[in-house]
Amino acid sequence: MATSSTGFSDQGLRRLRKVLAGHVESQKIPGLVALVSRGGHSHVETLGTMRHDGGSPMRRDTIFRMASTSKPVTMAATMVLLDECRLRLDDPVDPWLPELADRRVLKRPDGPLDDTVPALRPITVRDLLTSTFGLGVDFESMASPIRAATFERLDYSVASGPAPEPDEWMRRLGELPLQYQPGVRWQYDLSSEVAGVLVSRVTGQPLETFLRERILDPLGMNDTAFHVPADKIDRLPPLYGPDPQTGEFTVWDQAAGGRSSTPPAFQGAGGGLVSTADDYHSYFRMLLNHGMHGSERILSRTAVELMTTNRLSPGQQTARDTMFSGVAHLSCGQGTSGGWGFGMAVRTARSDYAPIGQYGWFGGTGTTAYADPANQLTGILLTQVGLSTPDSPRAMNDFWTTLYQAID
């Protein structure tokens, strides 16, 4: 079998393109950009158009809303502070986040908000990095009072509008009790946002400023930011959320005049980045290279190891497994790969085509990015279709399934 210069078989890459093209030709995915690499060589596919009704073709430098695929990148800012001993994993966060001091905790996770006990210990930096500080998305308690209160005060999804500036956001967070004692249970999403505020307060800079100085600029990630400036807005497609019943394309966010076109008051570390396939490739190759970018060290080797290996206890792991197993049929298995490092998933069991040790994450706007140290492989698939239907998760699933078969 012929091998291309990218470390994949020619036949495998042709099949990868054919499978991805099928998703575009189905008219369920208007367009996509896929980048795969091995051993320093990369291969890119651009298919379809920016809009569901045609128009400009997808390009390699198309900018996408990364949603939760932001988490692995923004977490690097916290790792820089750990490397420099400006933060310590088991220090309480109270000096920087006084809104989280002296927490009350619900007696029952689904109980009334005023039925609480004192927290057994302070929230630590480690709790934020592992998503175990006591609040977050938990599919087992979506109907609980604390979930409704958290959503009302802190959500800034497409439906609910933009978040306030960080101090006001933290004030609202501080009004809530914790659902679980610190360090007990893995819960999704919210801890990443708090970690972003922590970085800003420790450094005395906006999160994006510090992230740009220490991570983005050194890696040449020039198109990665918390908004798209006017001179690049033509490279941003609309974001679609297909109707779950009819499949009809609904615009969640326009490009010009949309939420990504202006700097946000709250720079959301959990899901606020926009970026490109090449920028994310640069970042994940740095992780595969143990923190090095060419001759420049971005993160220490040990910081990368902490981020990209499972950090959950068996009890915390059980909660994570339960959460994602309940939605696997909707997400086509996305997120069911096992453990959690700092800001990203880490595969701890062989459940599909990807091996143990693969790390990365996916986003609700139809994005996925993972690296695989065993095969020295990076894969990135970016679409403009949100997870309101299984269409973009199916494209992600088929991308990874086909990509692993293409390894020579």
Side-chain angles (χ1 to χ4, degrees):
M1 184 179 293
T3 303
S4 79
S5 61
T6 60
F8 302 97
S9 71
D10 290 330
Q11 179 182 343
L13 290 178
R14 286 194 297 271
R15 187 162 180 269
L16 176 66
R17 178 179 176 85
K18 181 179 180 181
V19 167
L20 293 177
H23 285 278
V24 174
E25 290 161 3
S26 74
Q27 300 186 333
K28 300 296 182 64
I29 306 289
L32 58 84
V33 177
L35 187 155
V36 300
S37 76
R38 282 190 79 203
H41 299 284
S42 61
H43 175 84
V44 177
E45 296 286 358
T46 59
L47 296 166
T49 54
M50 301 272 278
R51 302 186 61 88
H52 80 90
D53 51 1
S56 301
M58 279 289 180
R59 302 177 355 191
R60 181 168 180 162
D61 67 352
T62 296
I63 297 172
F64 293 85
R65 302 161 186 81
M66 300 305 292
S68 286
T69 316
S70 303
K71 291 176 172 67
V73 172
T74 57
M75 192 57 64
T78 314
M79 304 312 294
V80 170
L81 297 178
L82 289 171
D83 275 348
E84 296 179 348
C85 298
R86 297 166 74 180
L87 285 175
R88 301 174 189 87
L89 280 171
D90 294 308
D91 273 357
V93 298
D94 299 3
W96 303 283
L97 303 173
E99 299 92 342
L100 297 183
D102 302 319
R103 291 289 79 201
R104 304 288 299 183
V105 183
L106 295 178
K107 287 184 180 178
R108 299 196 333 268
D110 59 350
L113 298 183
D114 58 356
D115 190 16
T116 63
V117 296
L120 298 177
R121 64 163 176 81
I123 295 166
T124 66
V125 175
R126 188 188 300 271
D127 296 330
L128 293 182
L129 300 191
T130 55
S131 292
T132 60
F133 85 102
L135 273 177
V137 177
D138 194 324
F139 290 161
E140 286 188 272
S141 56
M142 294 298 279
S144 65
I146 187 61
R147 174 58 185 159
T150 303
F151 189 85
E152 178 187 358
R153 286 169 174 79
L154 304 175
D155 182 72
Y156 58 99
S157 64
V158 173
S160 58
E165 50 82 28
D167 289 349
E168 170 61 17
W169 190 86
M170 286 299 304
R171 185 194 68 78
R172 296 180 187 182
L173 175 60
E175 293 177 343
L176 298 171
L178 301 181
Q179 188 173 15
Y180 294 93
Q181 290 285 345
V184 168
R185 187 177 177 90
W186 188 90
Q187 292 175 287
Y188 186 54
D189 198 43
L190 194 58
S191 62
S192 299
E193 309 291 20
V194 181
V197 178
L198 176 66
V199 169
S200 179
R201 290 188 176 176
V202 171
T203 62
Q205 297 175 293
L207 171 61
E208 183 171 6
T209 301
F210 185 72
L211 190 67
R212 183 156 304 287
E213 289 177 359
R214 303 305 300 272
I215 304 295
L216 304 181
D217 283 352
L219 290 173
M221 297 175 68
N222 300 322
D223 291 322
T224 303
F226 286 101
H227 85 289
V228 181
D231 61 351
K232 297 180 180 180
I233 201 71
D234 63 311
R235 293 162 53 194
L236 179 73
L239 172 62
Y240 296 109
D243 183 278
Q245 275 70 50
T246 67
E248 180 181 354
F249 282 103
T250 301
V251 176
W252 275 355
D253 190 38
Q254 289 285 5
R259 291 182 59 180
S260 296
S261 67
T262 56
F266 185 89
Q267 296 173 350
L273 289 181
V274 297
S275 192
T276 64
D278 279 294
D279 276 14
Y280 259 64
H281 178 236
S282 180
Y283 180 78
F284 276 88
R285 289 304 304 178
M286 178 272 292
L287 295 182
L288 283 178
N289 290 330
H290 312 290
M292 294 294 293
H293 177 67
S295 60
E296 183 175 4
R297 179 159 290 285
I298 308 298
L299 295 172
S300 70
R301 175 185 285 264
T302 44
V304 173
E305 290 170 354
L306 279 169
M307 294 175 74
T308 61
T309 53
N310 185 33
R311 307 259 58 88
L312 300 185
S313 69
Q316 295 164 347
Q317 181 69 52
T318 298
R320 170 156 155 53
D321 292 344
T322 299
M323 174 174 169
F324 279 96
S325 65
V327 296
H329 65 296
L330 298 176
S331 66
C332 299
Q334 301 294 321
T336 58
S337 58
W340 192 257
F342 290 164
M344 66 186 87
V346 181
R347 288 186 181 262
T348 56
R350 190 71 184 255
S351 60
D352 54 26
Y353 283 72
I356 291 171
Q358 186 205 44
Y359 53 78
W361 198 227
F362 71 104
T365 50
T367 61
T368 180
Y370 283 81
D372 170 2
N375 291 291
Q376 283 296 296
L377 177 149
T378 302
I380 299 154
L381 176 67
L382 308 178
T383 81
Q384 77 277 59
V385 179
L387 272 60
S388 55
T389 66
D391 297 310
S392 54
R394 285 170 178 157
M396 295 180 204
N397 182 284
D398 295 351
F399 168 71
W400 290 109
T401 298
T402 314
L403 174 57
Y404 273 103
Q405 295 175 67
I407 295 175
D408 183 66

